[in-house]
Amino acid sequence: MPDIISEPAGEGVILLRLNRPEALNALSLSLRQLLARHINELSTDDTTRCIVITGNDKAFAAGADIGELSRRTVLDADFERSRVAWLAIEACPKPIIAAVNGFALGGGFELALHCDIIVAGEGATIGQPEVRLGLMPGAGGTQRIVRAAGKFAAMRWLLTGDRISATEALGLGLVSEVVPDQDVVARALALADKIASLAPLAVRAIKETVLLGPDAPLPVALALERKTFQLLFASEDRAEGTQAFIERRQPQFKGK
Ligand code: CAA
């Protein structure tokens, strides 16, 4: 079986299942490269509107593969290969939803942090334990967590490597929703279905603006929002969406 199983899961929705159960879905470089290949393909596939990434009941992903990390040297080319693999997810213009059950640790939670929405199960365990390995997060954890949860929550968590529950993570703004474990994938797919039914250009514009804005000065971010908003007036879907509202019917969006 491949390390990732890709399956269509509704109109415009693709479900990617991480599949290294023997290692709790530890993110070996080859798994990450395979994930990047899937995401790159889906990024340019017009029929794909939303992607859901999940693991299994025991683990979303237990982090980078510690065996591989133990063998790396400071000038190892795998650092660059790893960066290129993460970039594919960072650059994906389609919304990605993480459906998290079980352990989401280290690079595993950083994978979820690369996504746009995180649906976590009540029994999920989340953590950045790298400090306990004499390491630190290396796939965006220090930066994305501080932006999502603020300095004091981030420091408390990153400096101790403590694990927290999904409910605590929700309180810190580190996940979007917590649902019963057995409902995680279904809930993520329901959100994906809803997003996939909406105007693709508007969805893409919202994702891009939300992600770029926080790193720009507010006047620049607001200008980006205004310009992107204005650009959507060139789309047929904007005309269809507003007209459908006026005519009290469901809009038929085409992604044009
Ligand atoms: N890398 C490689 N193998 C891993 C792994 C990992 N991150 N996590 C678990 N495994 C393997 C175990 O070695 C074990 O394999 P064997 O059966 O062949 O011995 C198998 O998965 C099951 O794991 P456990 O027996 O340990 O399961 P458990 O239920 O007793 O414990 C756990 C679960 C608490 C998640 C524990 O496995 C654990 O602590 N894993 C490591 C978590 C971690 O430190 N992650 C951070 C990695 S560093 C990182 O992520 C940096 C980065 O991206 C930049």
Side-chain angles (χ1 to χ4, degrees), residues 30-215:
S30 63
L31 185 153
R32 263 174 292 152
Q33 288 176 321
L34 182 59
L35 180 59
R37 281 202 291 280
H38 278 288
I39 298 284
N40 278 333
E41 214 170 276
L42 298 172
S43 290
T44 53
D45 170 25
D46 287 343
T47 65
T48 301
R49 303 271 176 93
C50 192
I51 301 162
V52 175
I53 301 178
T54 195
N56 56 42
D57 291 351
K58 179 136 195 227
F60 178 71
D65 189 298
I66 297 176
E68 285 182 1
L69 291 184
S70 72
R71 293 186 293 274
R72 256 195 216 174
T73 59
V74 70
L75 293 179
D76 205 312
D78 280 0
F79 285 109
E80 199 45 42
R81 294 190 187 105
S82 191
R83 163 98 187 109
V84 169
W86 286 116
L87 266 178
I89 309 173
E90 244 173 70
C92 178
K94 316 278 171 82
I96 308 180
I97 302 177
V100 175
N101 273 124
F103 295 109
L105 301 175
F109 189 59
E110 288 172 303
L111 170 59
L113 287 168
H114 274 76
C115 298
D116 302 302
I117 295 174
I118 303 176
V119 177
E122 283 164 348
T125 302
I126 293 167
Q128 295 293 152
E130 290 91 339
V131 68
R132 298 180 182 193
L133 299 169
L135 271 170
M136 62 179 282
T142 59
Q143 302 311 305
R144 290 199 173 93
I145 289 167
V146 77
R147 280 164 173 74
K151 171 184 163 186
F152 296 104
M155 289 292 195
R156 157 76 184 83
W157 206 38
L158 295 167
L159 291 175
T160 61
D162 283 349
R163 296 189 213 143
I164 60 173
S165 68
T167 310
E168 284 174 89
L170 183 66
L172 295 174
L174 288 171
V175 301
S176 313
E177 286 185 19
V178 177
V179 300
D181 289 342
Q182 64 276 14
D183 297 342
V184 167
V185 174
R187 175 63 186 151
L189 289 175
L191 287 170
D193 267 342
K194 188 178 284 185
I195 293 167
S197 73
L198 298 170
L201 294 174
V203 165
R204 181 181 296 209
I206 290 168
K207 171 165 174 165
E208 189 176 28
T209 308
V210 169
L211 290 181
L212 284 175
D215 295 326

